Amino acid sequence: MSSPHFVNFSADDARHAWATRLAEGLAALGLSLTADQQRQLLAYLDSLGKWNKVYNLTAVRDPEEMLTHHLLDSLSVIAPLRRHTQGRALRLLDVGSGGGLPGVVIAICCPEIGVDCVDTVGKKAAFIQQAAGTLGLPNLCGVHARVETLRDPYGVVISRAFASLPDFVQWSDGALAEGGVWMAMKGKHPADEIAALPVGVEVFHVEPLRVPGLDAERCIVWLRREEGGNG
């Protein structure tokens, strides 16, 4: 079977409708993206659907659900991330990235951020590499590894529906730079997981998110090492 490949999304009959929905979602989120960035997002979503038929990158397969549950859900983190970085160039690690959510979306929207997407499944890391090349994203890299083995320092370590908070911070502690932060994208407020965090890790903010077209609770749990703590 030949490998899936990126197609020109502008050739798709649904392009206009999808582009309109994306623009509406960006407006609702208060995000300003260039026309090129919006085209990259749609091309990425299109390719994700095509690769998914062969490599099972995500359980969501309906195109409409992919737009809302994946693309807009990942876009909801961009404004909070931008507020944190204030335009600074830094390195970000997306843990258990799967098909690149939210890592690829961050790389498109925040070109000043170097994004590494780590996953234990080789085909998923290969898809990220393909996306980086085809979409022209020099700041994006797919990493086939276990996060516990990574020791390069990242200013932000993010995850989306990856693991419990205690496991997330424990497994990725070696990759978090001094003074860095964890961003855990969650559904409902994970009070039990917060209560189970290891000594030396603190939650300094739980930020509610609103995803356009998605009637479900979403939040970001912001964490950091306590001063003098080892994680």
Side-chain angles (χ1 to χ4, degrees), residues 130-143:
Q130 177 78 1
T134 305
L135 297 176
L137 297 171
N139 61 324
L140 175 66
C141 182
V143 180

Side-chain angles (χ1 to χ4, degrees), residues 81 84-85 88 90-93 154-158 168 172 175-184 204 221-225:
L81 179 61
H84 173 73
T85 64
R88 291 178 290 118
L90 54 74
R91 300 181 69 209
L92 176 145
L93 180 67
Y154 293 88
V156 175
V157 177
I158 194 169
F168 171 47
S172 63
L176 186 70
E178 183 176 353
V181 300
W182 286 285
M183 295 176 67
F204 63 94
V221 181
W222 294 82
L223 309 100
R224 64 190 171 199
R225 297 188 186 104

Side-chain angles (χ1 to χ4, degrees), residues 164-186:
S164 69
L165 291 177
D167 286 344
F168 171 47
V169 299
Q170 179 181 352
W171 293 341
S172 63
D173 183 67
L176 186 70
E178 183 176 353
V181 300
W182 286 285
M183 295 176 67
M185 297 176 68
K186 290 287 186 176

Side-chain angles (χ1 to χ4, degrees), residues 209-231:
L209 297 177
R210 185 180 61 82
V211 180
L214 186 60
D215 185 21
E217 292 185 50
R218 290 287 189 271
C219 68
I220 302 173
V221 181
W222 294 82
L223 309 100
R224 64 190 171 199
R225 297 188 186 104
E226 293 179 347
E227 188 172 350
N230 294 320

